[in-house]
Amino acid sequence: MAHHPKYEGYNLIGDKRTQLVYDLETLDDHAVIDEIAAAGVGLVFAPDTLAEAKNRGYSLAKPGEKRRHRAPRA
């Protein structure tokens, strides 16, 4: 499936509310990314690596994993 137009060219998308990062190459449910884009709480990483996401406090989302939504910090 094609990437969301807002995140074209990126493989990892972080959710500021849950501190989870989604790998678009392995993600099956792209509705999660649509919801993140609609809420305006998406974050991309440079360089686009899991190591950089973990450095910023994000952890890789696993299928079925849910966390409590928090208000993003400014």
Side-chain angles (χ1 to χ4, degrees):
M1 184 172 191
H3 287 357
H4 189 280
K6 186 172 182 178
Y7 304 116
E8 192 68 38
Y10 294 99
N11 290 328
L12 298 173
I13 306 299
D15 185 344
K16 294 178 187 177
R17 302 168 298 185
T18 60
Q19 294 286 292
L20 290 175
V21 64
Y22 297 91
D23 185 353
L24 297 181
E25 297 297 320
T26 60
L27 186 66
D28 294 329
D29 184 16
H30 286 273
V32 172
I33 302 303
D34 293 336
E35 192 258 326
I36 289 171
V41 293
L43 177 73
V44 294
F45 306 96
D48 193 21
T49 62
L50 185 57
E52 179 61 24
K54 287 185 176 184
N55 187 40
R56 295 188 188 188
Y58 286 76
S59 58
L60 186 61
K62 297 174 185 78
E65 182 179 17
K66 296 192 189 257
R67 287 192 179 175
R68 183 174 48 156
H69 284 214
R70 298 177 184 236
R73 291 185 279 182

